[in-house]
Amino acid sequence: MSDSCFNYPIVENGTEQVRNLLLKSVNKNNSEVEQALTDMLTAGGKMLRPAIFLLFNEFGPEPKNSDKQIKIAASIEILHMATLIHDDIIDDSPLRRGVASVQAKLGKDVAVYAGDLLFTKFFQFINETMNGTDFMKINADAMEQILMGELIQKANRFNPNNLIETYLETVTGKTAELFRLACLEGAYFGGATESIVETAAEIGKNIGIAFQINDDILDYTSDQKTLKKPILEDLAEGVYTLPLLLALKKDSSKFKALLDKNHQLTTGDVENIVADVTQLGGIEKAIQYAESYTNQAEKLIASLPTSKAKMVLNKAIKKMLTRKF
Amino acid sequence: MSDSCFNYPIVENGTEQVRNLLLKSVNKNNSEVEQALTDMLTAGGKMLRPAIFLLFNEFGPEPKNSDKQIKIAASIEILHMATLIHDDIIDDSPLRRGVASVQAKLGKDVAVYAGDLLFTKFFQFINETMNGTDFMKINADAMEQILMGELIQKANRFNPNNLIETYLETVTGKTAELFRLACLEGAYFGGATESIVETAAEIGKNIGIAFQINDDILDYTSDQKTLKKPILEDLAEGVYTLPLLLALKKDSSKFKALLDKNHQLTTGDVENIVADVTQLGGIEKAIQYAESYTNQAEKLIASLPTSKAKMVLNKAIKKMLTRKF
């Protein structure tokens, strides 16, 4: 998935402006942190959330790609990057976007400060664009929701009885909240009607959940080269995602020994788990879940007024959420 | 140094309210993170910055210890705690406030999220009390200044040619900025005149620098039991503070081998360094630096209108900044 999901000049032009603004803002005298963030920004980050924000801008009459709108779009990407960097510390993740993660390259110490620096920038960007509005609280609460999603996930590691509901709660926080924010702010700061703004938020939430479920399915169905990160890294860390949870629900007996916290998973173990998850219908059932959230998003998009942006959005959703498994 | 620095009922009562508000706000469903923050809050944190804020409230006519003021005081302590927790990750610090640091007790992962959760709370607290005012930007910039101080310090590790100016720049960011914020916001949200607010900010900055220099001197002159943290932890991490920098300026030859980055410092090495720093006048000279900032703070305090708060402040400064070395 790349910017070309959108294939829409005003959005592609806007995401380039966002990237340039971000590159300019991370120049902070400390070469190590600066370099790490610059690398991350140039490693082909998809700018998916800013692109969605800019697309939802189209549903209102405000001028497009203004400095203010670019800065808000950038604030969303900054918050995303900050949480990615800190998550990679927790996950000991060696790769991010196909290149070494900040923590793998420069250590946990630099990664802690790099994330903190981005939180500071996030705070400054939203302050410069929405101080005095309710959106300050909306952003602070979004930041909390994202973190809560991560904390719920962390608290449920190595829990084979993790509920589907808890998984969805995690995903709604850690992933969908930012998509929700991108759609909501996109519509609002584009000047859309209150009703469109509300619909946009719901669309974002559904896109976000579907997006994460797809990501978790790909983890079971792709090879490392396609995915640009180690496959089933989550599994070794005790993060049990939807395909496995659905398989466990069907027949947990097969996984008992393999999912013991103290068991070091071999490549063979991982292959066995993937085979069992597939055989028990975990992947098929997870695809149904993803489709149901995608359908819900599409239904809501259908209710939006007819426009070029709506067509582009429809196409983009199809590209984003119906990736080949 | 404890709350009793202030020995002033309205401030002592206020800091208790701050502590209770903080304890209430860190209850976030995730028992590990929650417990870590609760432990930190009950381990005898001095609440020095909230106390200073509350004391500076006295220089204006606004009612004292209102919910708003308690929340702003708490926001300062939250920002302080968040940076402490993340710094302890960077320093691999085993102790904080005489008890195991969050990262030592629960690992770096929990410490990353615990700090992030506090940044979120900080953001919410200031949003609830000062949304729409210039103080949003003042707080975002303060957060950046603190981080910049830490980054400059990190960039200068194991640098025996670190300049006194760079040390002071670090200290102005990582420590003095929060004291400056506490005094500035205390006076402003107490309703003091513009001139008092400006003076308060300068007082805070000078107190903060003197406070950090004293802390760094104590590191060379105390035993671990008194200090409640390992002595000269900074040294092993390559953080060269004022006493050593002043000694290095006088005669760097003595330290060459010992300060090599790859040299593992033994207890004997540390004792030798302390002896050399002392003998070369590094501690004596650092005390003069601390005194000059303390004097500057006292001079500025003298310019404030006569009041009970001014008397209390004068006494508190003496207690805080003339600790026995």
Side-chain angles (χ1 to χ4, degrees):
Chain A
M1 188 178 4
S2 74
D3 292 357
S4 67
C5 265
F6 291 91
N7 194 19
Y8 191 38
I10 197 162
V11 167
E12 289 181 352
N13 176 283
T15 54
E16 262 323 286
Q17 289 182 56
V18 169
R19 196 186 306 274
N20 291 336
L21 176 60
L22 290 174
L23 281 167
K24 217 175 75 185
S25 352
V26 299
N27 283 327
K28 277 292 145 197
N29 312 320
N30 183 280
S31 55
E32 231 181 1
V33 169
E34 181 185 325
Q35 194 54 52
L37 294 173
T38 304
D39 288 354
M40 196 173 167
L41 279 165
T42 48
K46 295 169 293 227
M47 295 281 162
L48 189 56
R49 293 150 193 82
I52 290 175
F53 169 91
L54 293 167
L55 191 61
F56 271 91
N57 268 187
E58 303 271 310
F59 289 95
E62 293 290 323
K64 308 307 160 212
N65 292 2
S66 67
D67 286 354
K68 182 177 171 180
Q69 283 163 348
I70 296 298
K71 197 172 267 185
I72 298 173
S75 76
I76 298 169
E77 186 68 12
I78 284 180
L79 183 52
H80 176 53
M81 286 175 70
T83 56
L84 286 185
I85 292 173
H86 280 183
D87 290 346
D88 283 344
I89 300 177
I90 280 64
D91 299 336
D92 278 311
S93 199
L95 288 176
R96 170 66 65 184
R97 295 177 176 171
V99 299
S101 70
V102 177
Q103 69 96 10
K105 196 161 42 182
L106 298 170
K108 296 203 173 196
D109 299 0
V110 175
V112 171
Y113 283 147
D116 289 354
L117 183 62
L118 291 179
F119 281 130
T120 304
K121 279 281 139 205
F122 164 67
F123 187 7
Q124 286 173 331
F125 274 28
I126 66 161
N127 185 49
E128 287 164 17
T129 49
M130 47 186 97
N131 188 15
T133 74
D134 292 346
F135 275 81
M136 294 303 283
K137 178 170 162 51
I138 289 171
N139 271 275
D141 291 349
M143 189 172 157
E144 187 176 23
Q145 288 306 309
I146 295 165
L147 193 57
M148 285 303 131
E150 294 289 352
L151 289 175
I152 297 168
Q153 177 172 295
K154 190 168 184 331
N156 281 285
R157 285 194 181 205
F158 296 103
N159 175 13
N161 302 314
N162 194 6
L163 299 170
I164 308 294
E165 289 74 17
T166 310
Y167 166 83
L168 290 172
E169 200 186 339
T170 299
V171 165
T172 304
K174 75 168 193 170
T175 310
E177 183 61 24
L178 259 182
F179 281 90
R180 199 184 76 86
L181 190 67
C183 295
L184 168 66
E185 290 190 339
Y188 180 86
F189 290 101
T193 63
E194 203 175 315
S195 139
I196 292 181
V197 171
E198 273 174 31
T199 306
E202 274 306 297
I203 292 170
K205 184 179 158 181
N206 282 284
I207 292 176
I209 298 175
F211 181 82
Q212 184 62 56
I213 294 176
N214 275 358
D215 224 44
D216 291 337
I217 295 170
L218 282 172
D219 211 22
Y220 279 83
T221 56
S222 301
D223 55 42
Q224 178 165 338
K225 206 175 144 199
T226 317
L227 210 56
K228 289 193 177 178
K229 63 181 182 184
I231 57 161
L232 289 171
E233 201 178 19
D234 275 353
L235 192 57
E237 298 280 330
V239 177
Y240 304 153
T241 57
L242 194 57
L244 176 58
L245 292 176
L246 290 164
L248 277 165
K249 216 173 152 188
K250 196 130 184 213
D251 180 4
S252 67
S253 64
K254 290 199 171 181
F255 301 98
K256 271 210 170 68
L258 292 174
L259 298 185
D260 187 89
K261 191 175 176 172
N262 298 314
H263 178 76
Q264 293 290 320
L265 289 172
T266 65
T267 313
D269 291 339
V270 172
E271 281 167 7
N272 283 334
I273 293 173
V274 170
D276 287 339
V277 165
T278 311
Q279 193 261 321
L280 285 165
I283 287 164
E284 204 179 329
K285 193 92 197 283
I287 292 175
Q288 287 169 19
Y289 269 85
E291 281 173 352
S292 115
Y293 287 99
T294 305
N295 292 343
Q296 182 59 20
E298 286 175 334
K299 216 173 102 185
L300 289 162
I301 292 169
S303 77
L304 293 175
T306 305
S307 68
K308 172 89 173 115
K310 180 175 170 174
M311 274 173 53
V312 174
L313 185 60
N314 257 322
K315 271 195 201 161
I317 297 293
K318 284 223 189 316
K319 259 195 186 165
M320 267 172 62
L321 300 180
T322 53
R323 291 178 282 170
K324 286 177 201 72
F325 298 111
Chain B
M1 189 178 3
S2 74
D3 292 357
S4 68
C5 266
F6 291 91
N7 194 19
Y8 190 38
I10 198 162
V11 167
E12 290 182 350
N13 177 282
T15 54
E16 261 324 285
Q17 289 183 55
V18 169
R19 195 187 306 274
N20 291 335
L21 176 60
L22 290 174
L23 282 167
K24 217 174 75 187
S25 354
V26 299
N27 283 327
K28 276 292 145 198
N29 311 322
N30 183 279
S31 56
E32 234 181 358
V33 170
E34 181 185 325
Q35 193 54 51
L37 294 173
T38 304
D39 287 354
M40 195 173 168
L41 279 165
T42 48
K46 295 170 293 227
M47 296 281 162
L48 189 56
R49 292 151 194 83
I52 289 176
F53 169 90
L54 294 167
L55 192 60
F56 270 92
N57 268 186
E58 302 272 310
F59 288 96
E62 293 291 321
K64 307 310 158 208
N65 292 2
S66 67
D67 286 354
K68 180 177 172 181
Q69 283 163 347
I70 295 298
K71 196 172 267 183
I72 297 172
S75 76
I76 299 169
E77 185 67 12
I78 284 181
L79 183 53
H80 177 53
M81 285 175 70
T83 55
L84 286 185
I85 291 173
H86 281 183
D87 291 345
D88 283 344
I89 300 176
I90 280 64
D91 299 336
D92 279 312
S93 200
L95 289 177
R96 171 65 66 184
R97 295 178 177 170
V99 299
S101 69
V102 176
Q103 70 96 9
K105 196 161 42 182
L106 298 170
K108 295 203 174 197
D109 298 1
V110 175
V112 171
Y113 283 148
D116 289 354
L117 183 63
L118 291 179
F119 280 131
T120 305
K121 279 281 137 204
F122 164 68
F123 187 7
Q124 286 173 331
F125 274 28
I126 66 161
N127 185 48
E128 288 162 16
T129 50
M130 47 186 97
N131 188 17
T133 74
D134 293 346
F135 274 82
M136 294 303 284
K137 177 169 162 51
I138 290 172
N139 271 273
D141 291 349
M143 190 171 155
E144 186 176 26
Q145 287 307 309
I146 295 165
L147 193 58
M148 285 304 132
E150 294 289 350
L151 288 174
I152 297 168
Q153 177 173 294
K154 192 167 181 334
N156 281 285
R157 286 196 180 203
F158 295 103
N159 175 11
N161 303 316
N162 194 6
L163 299 171
I164 308 293
E165 288 73 17
T166 310
Y167 166 82
L168 290 172
E169 200 186 339
T170 299
V171 165
T172 303
K174 74 167 192 170
T175 310
E177 184 60 24
L178 259 181
F179 280 89
R180 199 184 76 86
L181 190 67
C183 295
L184 168 66
E185 290 190 340
Y188 181 85
F189 290 101
T193 63
E194 204 176 314
S195 138
I196 293 181
V197 171
E198 275 174 29
T199 307
E202 273 305 297
I203 292 170
K205 184 178 160 183
N206 282 284
I207 292 176
I209 298 175
F211 182 81
Q212 185 62 54
I213 295 176
N214 275 357
D215 226 42
D216 291 338
I217 295 170
L218 281 172
D219 211 22
Y220 279 82
T221 55
S222 301
D223 55 41
Q224 178 166 341
K225 208 176 143 197
T226 316
L227 210 56
K228 289 192 174 179
K229 61 181 184 183
I231 57 162
L232 289 170
E233 201 179 19
D234 276 351
L235 193 57
E237 298 280 329
V239 176
Y240 303 153
T241 58
L242 194 56
L244 176 59
L245 292 175
L246 290 165
L248 276 165
K249 216 173 153 187
K250 194 127 184 214
D251 181 3
S252 68
S253 64
K254 291 199 170 182
F255 302 97
K256 272 211 168 66
L258 292 174
L259 298 186
D260 187 89
K261 190 175 176 172
N262 297 316
H263 177 76
Q264 292 290 321
L265 289 173
T266 64
T267 313
D269 292 339
V270 172
E271 281 167 8
N272 283 336
I273 292 173
V274 170
D276 286 341
V277 165
T278 311
Q279 192 261 320
L280 285 165
I283 287 164
E284 205 179 328
K285 193 93 196 284
I287 293 174
Q288 287 169 19
Y289 269 86
E291 281 173 352
S292 115
Y293 287 99
T294 306
N295 292 343
Q296 183 59 20
E298 286 175 334
K299 217 174 101 185
L300 289 161
I301 292 167
S303 77
L304 294 174
T306 306
S307 68
K308 173 85 172 121
K310 179 176 170 175
M311 273 172 53
V312 173
L313 184 60
N314 258 321
K315 272 195 202 162
I317 298 293
K318 285 223 188 315
K319 260 194 184 165
M320 268 172 62
L321 301 180
T322 52
R323 292 178 282 169
K324 286 177 203 72
F325 298 113

